[in-house]
Amino acid sequence: MFDFIPLLSQILNGLLVGAYYLMIALGLSMIFSLGGIVNLAHGAFYAIGAYLAVTLAPQIGFGGAMVVSPLAVALIGMVVERYLLRRFYNADPILGLLLTFGLAMVAEQSLRILYGAAPVPFSIPQALRGQVFIGDFIYSRYRLMILTIAVACVAGLWLLLTKTAFGKVVRAGVQNPDMVGALGISLKPYMTAVVMIGVGLAALAGVLVAPIAGVHPAMGQEVITFAFVVVVIGGLGSFWGVVAAAAIVGMTRGVAAHFYPAATEASVYLLMVLVLLLRPRGLFGERIQKFE
């Protein structure tokens, strides 16, 4: 008789991975949609968030680090957007790629200088350890917390983009920036806010995943590739496309990990190839209303 419990556990683990891919991919998609820049440095903000949590947790606790670290990274993102990214919104896209690639390298090497090349230990807080029992099913309490926070972030971001004046301007700027400019609305402060939200979400993902995946200088490079895969599968600029893609990627990883663990990562790339063969613009990439 087939035992469904191990498969369910692997699917939840896959969804957990998809959740933090999603928190990174949403920021990537938003920054590209409004500013036209593919931010290769996004993974660096994820890593910086994790390292800041390691530094701050002994002083203010894990809960405090989970709040302060993303806020601090968002402020770093504000500075980067204002003094670097803003110069390249109307430039050749390759210049933006080169800039953000350089930023990613600088950030990674800076982390190596400050913290060393070896992984930094960071454990799950004592209060969040333990298991949740649902009949015969057992799952980590901390992992369930990560899934809950990811769902809350998606819901909060959707409400911000669809139910507020800020969101209306952002969506209008994505669809027709010239018309927004003709109405006398400058998109510069909105772009700054979008970058701050995007990199703050990436930093939050870094804080949450740090006790599970470990903290090391190259962690940003490891995750950014899969975040781009999620964006490509979902469709550039599509909010719900990215959400759906993250869930599908997570479940694909979970099923592959259960039946053929050696193909866990390869399954994600195979999924991307299949989606692009059938829908070259991604699952929702053909839509014009980008964030709806």
Side-chain angles (χ1 to χ4, degrees):
M1 182 177 178
F2 180 74
D3 188 356
F4 184 70
I5 298 298
L7 176 59
L8 178 59
S9 181
Q10 289 290 0
I11 289 175
L12 279 177
N13 285 335
L15 287 174
L16 175 74
V17 175
Y20 65 82
Y21 288 167
L22 173 61
M23 295 173 70
I24 299 168
L26 280 175
L28 278 172
S29 184
M30 290 172 60
I31 292 169
F32 173 80
S33 298
L34 191 60
I37 287 182
V38 178
N39 184 15
L40 296 180
H42 213 65
F45 293 109
Y46 164 85
I48 293 170
Y51 272 99
L52 280 178
V54 171
T55 304
L56 294 171
Q59 284 74 42
I60 60 176
F62 182 80
M66 191 168 62
V67 174
V68 174
S69 178
L71 290 176
V73 173
L75 291 176
I76 295 172
M78 177 184 71
V79 174
V80 169
E81 189 281 332
R82 182 165 183 177
Y83 294 103
L84 294 175
L85 296 184
R86 187 173 293 184
R87 301 170 182 266
F88 295 89
Y89 291 146
N90 297 317
D92 189 331
I94 194 65
L95 297 178
L97 283 173
L98 292 173
L99 169 68
T100 55
F101 176 76
L103 285 174
M105 294 299 100
V106 168
E108 181 178 334
Q109 296 308 315
S110 297
L111 291 175
R112 289 183 190 276
I113 293 171
L114 292 173
Y115 294 94
V120 177
F122 193 47
S123 58
I124 296 173
Q126 187 65 40
L128 297 173
R129 296 179 184 178
Q131 310 294 324
V132 174
F133 297 85
I134 305 175
D136 293 332
F137 180 69
I138 304 173
Y139 200 67
S140 164
R141 182 184 302 169
Y142 183 75
R143 291 171 183 257
L144 284 177
M145 185 201 73
I146 294 178
L147 288 170
T148 303
I149 291 176
V151 171
C153 287
V154 171
L157 187 57
W158 179 79
L159 289 173
L160 177 67
L161 293 173
T162 58
K163 304 298 183 181
T164 66
F166 170 83
K168 291 178 181 178
V169 174
V170 170
R171 288 184 291 130
V174 169
Q175 297 169 26
N176 196 332
D178 293 334
M179 181 62 70
V180 174
L183 294 173
I185 301 174
S186 172
L187 284 175
K188 290 181 179 179
Y190 292 91
M191 188 64 215
T192 302
V194 164
V195 171
M196 292 178 69
I197 292 170
V199 301
L201 280 175
L204 178 59
V207 175
L208 294 172
V209 176
I212 298 176
V215 182
H216 56 92
M219 61 187 296
Q221 286 190 25
E222 294 177 356
V223 77
I224 193 65
T225 302
F226 290 103
F228 273 116
V229 168
V230 169
V231 173
V232 170
I233 291 174
L236 284 170
S238 171
F239 181 92
W240 289 114
V242 172
V243 174
I248 294 170
V249 165
M251 288 188 288
T252 300
R253 284 182 62 103
V255 172
H258 180 75
F259 290 105
Y260 192 48
T264 300
E265 293 190 359
S267 65
V268 175
Y269 297 114
L270 178 60
L271 174 65
M272 180 180 70
V273 171
L274 291 175
V275 169
L276 292 180
L277 285 174
L278 297 173
R279 299 179 68 86
R281 296 183 182 180
L283 296 176
F284 296 90
E286 77 282 3
R287 297 175 66 178
I288 301 302
Q289 289 78 18
K290 303 280 177 72
F291 283 113
E292 294 182 349

